[in-house]
Amino acid sequence: MSMQGRITAVLGPTNTGKTHYAIERMLGYRSGVIGLPLRLLAREVYDRIVAVRGPSVVALVTGEERIVPPRTQYWVCTVEAMPEGMGADFVAIDEIQLCADPERGHVFTDRLLRMRGTHETLFLGSDTMRGAIRELLPDADFVQRERMSTLSYSGSRKISRMQPRSAIVGFSIDNVYAIAELLRRQKGGAAVVMGALSPRTRNAQVELYQNGDVDYLVATDAIGMGLNLDIDHVAFSSLAKFDGRRMRALAPNELAQIAGRAGRGMSHGTFGVTGEAPTLAEPVAEAIMDHRFTPIRKLNWRNARLEFGSIDALISSLEAPTDDEWLMKAREADDLMALKTLQQSADVAARASDAQSVRLLWDVCRIPDFRGISHAEHASMIESIFNDLHQSGRVPDDWLARQIKRLDRPDGDIDTLSKRLAYIRTWTYVAQRNGWVGDENHWRGETRAVEDRLSDALHERLTQRFVDRRTSVLLRRLKQKEALLAEVNDKGEVTVEGEFVGRLEGFRFIADKEAAGNEAKTLKQASLQALAPQFHLRADRFYNAPDTEIDFTDQGGLMWGEYAVGKLVKGADSLKPSVDVFVDDEAGAEVAQKVQRRLQHFVDRKVAALFEPLLNLSKDEELTGLARGFAFRMVEGLGILPRGDVANDVKELDQDARGALRKHGIRFGQFTIFMPLLLKPAPTRLRLLLWSLANDHQEFHEAPPPGLVTVPAGQGAPQGFHAMSGYRAAGERAIRIDMLERLADMLRAEDSRGGFEAKADMLSITGMTLEQFADLMQGLGYKAEKGEREKVKAIVEEAPAKEAAAEETSSEAEPAVETETPAEVASDETPVEAVAEAVEEGAAAEDAPAEDTGPEMEVFYTFTWAGNRANRGPRRERGQQGGGRRDQGDKPRGKGKPKGKGGPRRDQGPKQFQSRPPKKEKAIDPDNPFAAALMGFKDKG
């Protein structure tokens, strides 16, 4: 086969030598480009190629680093920074399975679809991409690579018993630091590797591990992307991570990508879990060991054919959809979000008035938010950069110098230095853009020098904190049995001799989970000495805190700010729950009683405020007999009673009893007896909680989101849940009870025996389609018969031209328009649009030959009552009987349609109705100077 334009997918698990193979292939050509997922990995590959071919022919291009010699032959880049249109002989993309990544996947997909070498193109990655590549690139060849060593699962293991040459993986900076701190105390130290570190800091930390100064490595999932280290065992401290939007469990293929770092070359490796991570399920562990994972079915994609005619055109092109079943539109990325924000700026909109300016604006919006600040602050910064570039063609030197100088400080702790490094990456990125700064070489050198100084300082702090072969001060004092100095800071952190031992959360001391044995007992004893006065101070502050600082959760927890201080438990009455407090025994009975009293006050006031109408009902001494009994049922039902449950009680109530109950806001609905004020979100949320407590539920369900007329009915909800939520289940969905009563009012005017169709108002108040409405009606006891008929359109009756001309002078009558059917009212076509459509069709008919396209059909439903008398729906006939109780609802019934077929006769004309006699007109004062004019105007009218 000819090498010309050959595309090959080299797929397989980790430790198969895929990256090494790609480097060898590239060096066999005159020129080549390789794209890598991380700048750390790009720096590693760059160093390897430089060692073989020398620095004069190798370029390194990432977002923050650009080394491009004049005689460059080989380009090592991050995938985002790969140059296009170079016509290189060879192109390779590593970790191609990242096409499915929700954040960066659209970039990898774009390279998969568009980036090619003139002689050879390689895609390296997991075998899960085989199907997608085969479908999108039918001409691609496939090379399967097998792992050079075995990977086996070793189960759970404590950190204190971790074997040497192990890497422990965490998914947050706090988690990584905590594990490294424990290893420092128990194992002598650990190196730290995170994606946020600069290449210089990362390389220095890796060197600590590689040369044997420490035997342990604590890292984020950054080590999963091709970083080659001598690791024998990988331990997961967690099986979930925050992906930028939410916490989610790691998929088996993601775990395998990281676990595969164990074992190198022919050395076998193991993986397992540690800390709080649960044991891996057997199928997951076997899938990782056997490299069997679910194939990737969808690749994230964003349109690459951008239009720069205007900002709107650019946004539209970025949001263009795809019709390829293997591709899905990527979620809104940071650069597009920044572009939409800057579009709102009048200054930016005025400047971006041509294609060149819009292209510049897009380049500026692609500056990554390395700092992790708020979206608004990041947008403000890039707006300033765009204005400077548009106005003067570059970022002002004095302004850039001030930004860099402010960061050029190697003092501070790890967090401070890490933040400065993140900030300098922004200006390093700006300096790397061609033409954005005056003296590019100068500013690139300045930003690189500051980054190096900060990197060295950060490496020093990391080493000081996490690599210490001497026994810590705390352990030394414990051995010597000396008195320990314990303190509590304003954040609730408890330290003993300066060492963190736990945290005071509310009124409970949470000990450091890593402490064990005698050390843990001594630490707890010392910490409680410091906590004794702190408990009383906190109790006093809590007792005097306003109710706004306290809240309850949907699960019954009672929170003071971010801390759980108690929980609600079942009380003697559903409206009087009790409180269990979360207070350590060491705090004492006095503190516990004070916390309990404050929480009970809060709960009682919350119930009194949100259920005031219900409490007033329960205290009304004027209610007697059946009305008082019904009021008791209403209180017991927390303000909501399905009518079917109390049908007999309702029948027994006379009009006086109903009137007395209505004064308390009770509405006797067709389907539900309820108090409308208690349907608001806050009472609903509390009602669900009180109901769950009263019924001893183990799982508490959250209230539906406020403002929704219907919600999915669901299958796992306990009996009574929908009613307590303010909804009634009917078919596949549940409808809000107040809106259901409005619907019931409309249904009373319909002929439920002869059958009727849905009106537009019925669909409007439910917010449903016709099919969903039919399902709802069946859930309410109606029979829905589906039919299809020819769609009737409005027709404009036009008189012949001559007669029309004559009538213009003698009559002001409007052209007659046929009355709309209910189905047309419910459709998207308005009467005005129907008339216009009819006129246009008539005109077209005169100019074009008749064409038989067939009648347009529409679907309709006919509803008839299918229930029984014990559970009857709204009935028109009962509403027409005189002298009876109106037990079908509070609103009077309509009188239904007139008997007979069809509607009103067309020649009868429109009818007018008035609720009162016409108001007598006031006589015109003859002395009024405008009387004559007014009289004349009236005569004309």
Side-chain angles (χ1 to χ4, degrees), residues 492-696:
E493 296 173 339
V494 182
T495 57
V496 178
E497 294 293 339
E499 296 291 331
F500 175 77
V501 297
R503 191 181 303 276
L504 188 60
E505 297 184 357
F507 299 92
R508 294 188 298 184
F509 172 65
I510 309 300
D512 181 10
K513 296 178 181 179
E514 305 301 340
N518 294 330
E519 177 189 4
K521 294 179 182 178
T522 306
L523 291 178
K524 187 173 183 179
Q525 181 181 358
S527 60
L528 289 176
Q529 294 175 2
L531 292 177
Q534 186 70 17
F535 277 129
H536 287 276
L537 289 173
R538 285 199 168 198
D540 291 339
R541 191 165 78 249
F542 175 64
Y543 196 82
N544 295 311
D547 281 355
T548 53
E549 293 185 7
I550 309 173
D551 198 5
F552 63 91
T553 69
D554 293 331
Q555 303 301 313
L558 294 169
M559 307 294 294
W560 181 29
E562 60 180 317
Y563 300 124
V565 291
K567 68 176 181 179
L568 290 173
V569 295
K570 184 177 181 179
D573 185 273
S574 58
L575 289 174
K576 295 180 180 179
S578 299
V579 171
D580 275 355
V581 296
F582 298 157
V583 179
D584 279 343
D585 293 339
E586 291 79 6
E590 183 181 348
V591 171
Q593 292 172 4
K594 186 172 290 188
V595 174
Q596 199 277 339
R597 285 198 304 270
R598 179 65 185 90
L599 288 176
Q600 193 67 58
H601 292 334
F602 164 76
V603 172
D604 293 343
R605 282 198 290 266
K606 183 67 71 173
V607 171
L610 296 181
F611 288 92
E612 182 180 2
L614 202 61
L615 294 175
N616 291 339
L617 177 66
S618 67
K619 298 174 183 177
D620 189 350
E621 299 293 339
E622 296 182 2
L623 295 176
T624 59
L626 294 176
R628 187 166 187 81
F630 193 85
F632 177 79
R633 291 289 303 272
M634 201 69 186
V635 174
E636 196 176 47
L638 298 175
I640 296 177
L641 291 174
R643 185 157 186 145
D645 295 349
V646 292
N648 293 329
D649 294 344
V650 173
K651 290 180 180 178
E652 298 298 327
L653 293 173
D654 57 25
Q655 292 300 324
D656 291 338
R658 294 190 185 202
L661 292 171
R662 288 194 184 101
K663 290 180 181 179
H664 287 280
I666 295 178
R667 179 178 177 187
F668 289 85
Q670 174 67 41
F671 296 94
T672 312
I673 316 297
F674 63 99
M675 305 178 80
L677 288 177
L678 300 188
L679 296 184
K680 295 181 178 180
T684 298
R685 178 169 173 253
L686 181 57
R687 178 173 54 250
L688 275 174
L689 176 56
L690 298 178
W691 172 73
S692 299
L693 290 171
N695 289 275
D696 299 317

